[in-house]
Amino acid sequence: MPRSISSVFAALIVGAIALSTSTNARAEAHGGASLGPGVGAAFAWKAWRDCAPDRSRLCGTVAVGGGRVMRCLIDQRDRVAPRCRRHVVKAVALRDAFGACRVDVERFCRNVVPGRGRVVSCLAGNRDRLRPSCRAGLREARRILRH
């Protein structure tokens, strides 16, 4: 089944958030592929809270899940309130950071169904084989989520 690049990026962002709260993330933190325990969950919770008015106003008809609401907010970023805009800017930066992993996702994780941290877990499982640009992208994602 063909996947669009934006759906893979959305799945990576959502997966990174899911993975960062899992027990596996704590174990993988030493290998450099995880985003760190709770880091993504804190970002997701703050974005959900701070973007609530914009979610309702701009993306109220969008089904929740799979990064669809954040994609909607990104598409509407010129219309979101400043309180929400900072989270949207982070989400765009995360998308760009994960963009460095496009080739590695296709190479190592082609048959992985996106969602619930599966793609990020696949990348973590192949961390020794990832291109340097992907490893750098994962480090950048971790940095973005911590700030």
Side-chain angles (χ1 to χ4, degrees), residues 28-29 31-36 39 94 97-98 135 137-147:
E28 292 167 359
S34 114
L35 298 174
V39 173
L94 283 169
F98 284 124
R135 285 195 301 270
L138 292 172
R139 282 191 303 274
E140 177 65 6
R142 186 172 45 245
R143 188 197 65 74
I144 290 165
L145 285 170
R146 286 191 175 149
H147 292 99

Side-chain angles (χ1 to χ4, degrees), residues 66-86:
R68 288 182 288 272
V69 173
M70 185 53 80
R71 266 197 312 268
C72 174
L73 291 171
I74 288 170
D75 291 344
Q76 301 284 335
R77 66 181 161 259
D78 294 338
R79 298 177 61 202
V80 299
R83 183 174 178 163
C84 179
R85 188 170 296 122
R86 64 189 169 122

Side-chain angles (χ1 to χ4, degrees), residues 22-117:
S22 72
T23 305
N24 287 342
R26 289 175 196 58
E28 292 167 359
H30 302 293
S34 114
L35 298 174
V39 173
F43 167 73
W45 185 85
K46 289 175 187 173
W48 189 255
R49 179 196 64 203
D50 293 348
C51 293
D54 295 306
R55 269 194 346 260
S56 297
R57 182 172 57 87
L58 301 170
C59 306
T61 61
V62 175
V64 174
R68 288 182 288 272
V69 173
M70 185 53 80
R71 266 197 312 268
C72 174
L73 291 171
I74 288 170
D75 291 344
Q76 301 284 335
R77 66 181 161 259
D78 294 338
R79 298 177 61 202
V80 299
R83 183 174 178 163
C84 179
R85 188 170 296 122
R86 64 189 169 122
H87 300 294
V88 172
V89 167
K90 265 190 181 183
V92 170
L94 283 169
R95 180 191 64 194
D96 294 345
F98 284 124
C101 293
R102 179 182 309 159
V103 171
D104 294 302
V105 168
E106 277 300 311
R107 185 172 171 204
F108 303 118
C109 310
R110 167 174 286 191
N111 296 319
V112 174
V113 177
R116 301 207 182 256

